[in-house]
Amino acid sequence: AQKVTQAQTEISVVEKEDVTLDCVYETRDTTYYLFWYKQPPSGELVFLIRRNSFDEQNEISGRYSWNFQKSTSSFNFTITASQVVDSAVYFCALTEGMNRDDKIIFGKGTRLHILP
Amino acid sequence: NAGVTQTPKFRVLKTGQSMTLLCAQDMNHEYMYWYRQDPGMGLRLIHYSVGEGTTAKGEVPDGYNVSRLKKQNFLLGLESAAPSQTSVYFCASSPQREVTDTQYFGPGTRLTVL
């Protein structure tokens, strides 16, 4: 069965520091997709990235970067030079294969506090 | 486009009352989902739909029913509300037939059952 573990329940860093949010997943499938979503204090869920299991290249988008390591089943998210606006709950998610009945499984989230 | 909208935004019920949450999307998406979010539990899938007229159970379906009579709408019903159903409910939709595509979320409905 698929499972997503975000071991860090809550993290606090001072503004401008770098911070990495961990995500470890379990799956028996060779084809799967990984996601990161952001939930700011306003409550909505914002899509950040989708990565398929065949693409192990790391991705950078501005201050955000993602490190996908199949060998350790991890898909970690790093924020460089953090800002107060980055304060939010971040969710990692996984879905397996291409079966139309498959579902997305979310981790429990990591609450990130960026202190001014 | 409004994207995904949810009605109502807030609701307080008494134990045993019934209500329906409405989710609407104007993006012509095939898939729609209902999640609940509880502190420390992340998002858990209640029910989902892979197309008009179809529904399927998710991870925590008990106490809820759903209907997808129109492609753009996905209704979540609570027949007899219980305090354990106090939660924030999110609706989502995705554009392709494969669930691996990105999900677009509504703003959420905060439900309190007394």
Side-chain angles (χ1 to χ4, degrees):
Chain A
Q2 54 189 7
K3 183 180 177 182
V4 176
T5 302
Q6 294 180 256
Q8 303 150 308
T9 306
E10 203 158 344
I11 301 175
S12 294
V13 299
V14 176
E15 196 174 18
K16 297 183 184 176
E17 287 184 355
D18 299 347
V19 58
T20 296
L21 309 182
D22 298 333
C23 174
V24 174
Y25 61 91
E26 293 178 26
T27 175
R28 291 174 296 186
D29 231 342
T30 55
T31 302
Y32 53 90
Y33 287 75
L34 295 159
F35 303 80
W36 275 95
Y37 283 86
K38 174 182 179 180
Q39 187 177 40
S42 52
E44 76 275 20
L45 280 144
V46 179
F47 164 79
L48 294 178
I49 190 171
R50 177 184 65 177
R51 174 53 51 90
N52 75 59
S53 54
F54 298 108
D55 182 2
E56 287 193 72
Q57 280 194 339
N58 291 330
E59 178 139 351
I60 298 175
S61 176
R63 296 182 298 105
Y64 294 173
S65 62
W66 290 268
N67 183 0
F68 179 28
Q69 299 254 350
K70 287 179 80 169
S71 60
T72 56
S73 297
S74 64
F75 186 45
N76 296 338
F77 172 34
T78 298
I79 302 174
T80 303
S82 60
Q83 300 177 2
V84 173
V85 293
D86 296 326
S87 295
V89 180
Y90 291 86
F91 292 97
C92 181
L94 163 74
T95 188
E96 289 176 330
M98 300 295 285
N99 187 319
R100 63 182 292 169
D101 290 331
D102 283 345
K103 301 173 282 290
I104 290 183
I105 300 297
F106 284 82
K108 294 185 178 180
T110 297
R111 185 177 295 277
L112 177 63
H113 300 278
I114 308 298
L115 308 172
Chain B
N1 286 350
V4 180
T5 58
Q6 292 181 231
T7 309
K9 288 187 170 55
F10 303 94
R11 186 71 186 269
V12 178
L13 291 178
K14 293 182 180 178
T15 297
Q17 286 185 317
S18 64
M19 78 161 294
T20 300
L21 281 65
L22 170 64
C23 175
Q25 51 94 4
D26 60 1
M27 298 174 283
N28 200 35
H29 287 177
E30 288 287 342
Y31 278 53
M32 296 187 75
Y33 314 82
W34 275 107
Y35 293 90
R36 60 178 289 173
Q37 184 180 26
D38 303 294
M41 298 295 292
L43 283 97
R44 293 182 293 170
L45 183 64
I46 304 171
H47 285 280
Y48 64 105
S49 168
V50 301
E52 182 178 323
T54 72
T55 63
K57 293 181 180 180
E59 184 184 355
V60 289
D62 294 341
Y64 305 95
N65 57 74
V66 288
S67 64
R68 184 100 181 267
L69 298 180
K70 293 183 179 181
K71 186 178 183 179
Q72 63 268 34
N73 295 337
F74 194 30
L75 279 63
L76 178 71
L78 287 72
E79 290 187 348
S80 180
S84 61
Q85 294 177 304
T86 293
S87 187
V88 180
Y89 291 86
F90 285 97
C91 176
S93 67
S94 60
Q96 303 300 326
R97 297 193 72 79
E98 291 79 24
V99 75
T100 49
D101 213 286
T102 304
Q103 294 190 1
Y104 296 82
F105 284 83
T109 295
R110 186 174 294 276
L111 175 66
T112 301
V113 183
L114 302 175

